Amino acid sequence: MRSKRLLAGVAALVLTLPLSLQAAPRVVVSIPPIHNLVSGVMEGVSEPVLLVPGGASPHDYALRPSDMRHLQSAQVVIWVGRDMESFLTRPLSRLPDSVRTVTLLKEADLVRHELREGGIWDRHDHDHGHSHSHDHDHSHSHDHAHDHHHHDIDSHVWLSPENAARIVRHVAAVLTEQDPDNGVRYRENRDRILAQLSELDTRLQTRLAPIQGRPFIVFHDAYQYFEKHYGLTPAGSVTIDPSRPAGARRIQALRQRIQDSDAICVFSEPQFKPAIVDTLVEGTGARTGILDPLGADLPTGVESYYRLLENLGDSLVGCLEN
C-alpha cells in the first residue's frame, strides 16, 4: 500500500515539475568552445554534457566508458566533424537513427577556409588564401563548398565570432525543433549571445588593429579563422599535425624565416608544451607566447567563449605590440 502511495506521490511531483525540466533534451557536445556556446543557448533549461575536457586535445582523445554511456543516452550530439574529432566518427555511426547528430562543418552554414600547407607562409599565401566564404560577404557563405570534399577544410571553425554566431543560430534552431516547449527560451538566449558576440567583435577589431602587419609563428595551424577575421599576419606554423613532431629541415626553415621576416613571436599551446619552441627562438631575438585555441582552463559557460577570444587577443597583442 505504501509503495502505491509513494508512486502516486512521485507521479504528482513529476506532473508539477516545470515543463522545461521534463522536456529538456539530453545534449552531448564534443569540445569546450562549442560546449560553451551550446551551454549559452540552453541556459535556464538544462546543461549539455562535455566529452573532451579542457586541457585534452581533440586530435588524439580516447573515449572513456562514461563518455560512451553519455553518447548512448543522448538525444542530440553536437560536434564539428570527423577531421576535428576523428575519435567520434565510429561511435556516432553506431548510434540509433533517433539521435540527432549535428555536424557543424556540414550544416551550420559556416565561413570555411581551406587547410594551409604547414611550414612557411609568405604574404602571398596569406593574402590570397582560398576560402569558401569571404568574411566580408555573409550573403553567400559557401556556394560551392558542398561540392568540395570537407577533408580540405580547416576545422578550427569556432575561432571567428562570425562562425560562433552561425553556430548559435543553428543550435538554437535544432534545439527548438527537438524541444518546442523551451523554444522561446532558446531564442531569447540566442539573441542575447548574438548581441554580446557583436560587441566583443567590435572591441577585438579595435584592439588588434595596431598589430595587423606584425608577423608571428604558431605551433600548429589552428588560428586561421581568427587571423583572417582580424586581418593578422601569420608567417608560418611549426607543425601541421600537432601529434607529429616537426623534422630538422622544417625547424631550420622556420629559424631562417624568423630571422628573415623578423617574426616577432613564436607561440606554443597549453595542450602541447614543445621544447622545440625554445630551439626555434634561441639567439634570434624573437619572443615566445602561448595561444590556447580551446580555452583549456576556462570554466564551462558562454562567458568562457568570449574569454577564449579575448585571451587570444591579449596573447597576440602582449607579444607583438612593442
Side-chain angles (χ1 to χ4, degrees), residues 105-123:
L105 249 184
K106 277 189 178 165
E107 55 183 90
D109 193 31
L110 300 177
V111 172
R112 293 146 52 113
H113 298 308
E114 288 183 10
L115 280 170
R116 294 183 285 207
E117 297 297 314
I120 312 300
W121 308 319
D122 59 30
R123 304 276 172 145

Side-chain angles (χ1 to χ4, degrees), residues 32-320:
I34 306 297
H35 181 263
N36 291 333
L37 292 171
V38 176
S39 295
V41 176
M42 295 185 74
E43 206 170 290
V45 178
S46 178
E47 176 64 27
V49 170
L50 170 65
L51 286 182
V52 181
S57 167
H59 295 287
D60 53 9
Y61 187 69
L63 284 169
R64 300 162 307 191
S66 58
D67 297 328
M68 291 305 297
R69 285 195 295 278
H70 283 310
L71 282 173
Q72 279 149 5
S73 66
Q75 286 155 297
V76 180
V77 180
I78 301 171
W79 67 323
V80 177
R82 59 188 175 165
D83 291 348
M84 176 52 60
E85 311 100 329
S86 50
F87 68 90
L88 272 177
T89 309
R90 189 172 288 154
L92 289 182
S93 70
R94 294 180 177 156
L95 292 180
D97 290 343
S98 57
V99 180
R100 171 76 166 90
T101 301
V102 179
T103 306
L104 294 170
L105 249 184
K106 277 189 178 165
E107 55 183 90
D109 193 31
L110 300 177
V111 172
R112 293 146 52 113
H113 298 308
E114 288 183 10
L115 280 170
R116 294 183 285 207
E117 297 297 314
I120 312 300
W121 308 319
D122 59 30
R123 304 276 172 145
H124 173 81
D125 294 344
H126 175 67
D127 295 339
H128 305 288
H130 307 296
S131 65
H132 285 297
S133 159
H134 208 270
D135 267 346
H136 303 296
D137 182 0
H138 307 323
S139 57
H140 55 273
S141 337
H142 50 175
D143 304 332
H144 63 288
H146 282 302
D147 322 330
H148 204 286
H149 201 287
H150 80 274
H151 260 19
D152 298 336
I153 298 295
D154 180 345
S155 48
H156 299 84
V157 287
W158 63 88
L159 287 179
S160 91
E162 172 59 32
N163 275 345
R166 293 176 186 212
I167 288 166
V168 164
R169 284 190 203 103
H170 187 65
V171 167
V174 168
L175 291 176
T176 300
E177 200 179 288
Q178 295 284 320
D179 175 21
D181 291 337
N182 287 303
V184 171
R185 177 60 67 88
Y186 296 137
R187 289 193 292 275
E188 284 171 355
N189 288 342
R190 173 199 66 195
D191 293 345
R192 189 186 66 252
I193 295 168
L194 293 179
Q196 286 172 318
L197 281 170
S198 176
E199 277 173 39
L200 171 68
D201 190 19
T202 306
R203 274 204 313 280
L204 282 170
Q205 295 280 7
T206 307
R207 183 98 210 275
L208 292 162
I211 60 161
Q212 279 180 337
R214 305 197 171 179
F216 58 94
I217 286 171
V218 295
F219 179 62
H220 93 286
D221 187 12
Y223 309 95
Q224 182 173 194
Y225 290 90
F226 192 85
E227 293 158 359
K228 288 202 159 117
H229 189 85
Y230 292 110
L232 303 178
T233 312
S237 72
V238 178
T239 173
I240 308 180
D241 175 354
S243 56
R244 291 213 303 267
R249 188 181 296 160
R250 161 75 53 82
I251 291 167
Q252 192 48 48
L254 283 164
R255 272 182 66 83
Q256 193 59 50
R257 178 71 212 253
I258 293 169
Q259 280 155 339
D260 293 351
S261 74
D262 228 17
I264 300 164
C265 220
V266 179
F267 290 98
S268 59
E269 292 173 23
Q271 290 85 357
F272 309 98
K273 297 199 173 58
I276 188 176
V277 170
D278 299 330
T279 311
L280 276 176
V281 299
E282 209 177 314
T284 63
R287 296 190 283 267
T288 59
I290 292 177
L291 292 177
D292 177 5
L294 287 168
D297 302 326
L298 298 173
T300 57
V302 72
E303 294 299 324
S304 288
Y305 178 80
Y306 312 141
R307 188 73 253 162
L308 167 68
L309 294 195
E310 278 177 342
N311 287 349
L312 285 180
D314 290 347
S315 298
L316 285 158
V317 169
C319 206
L320 293 170

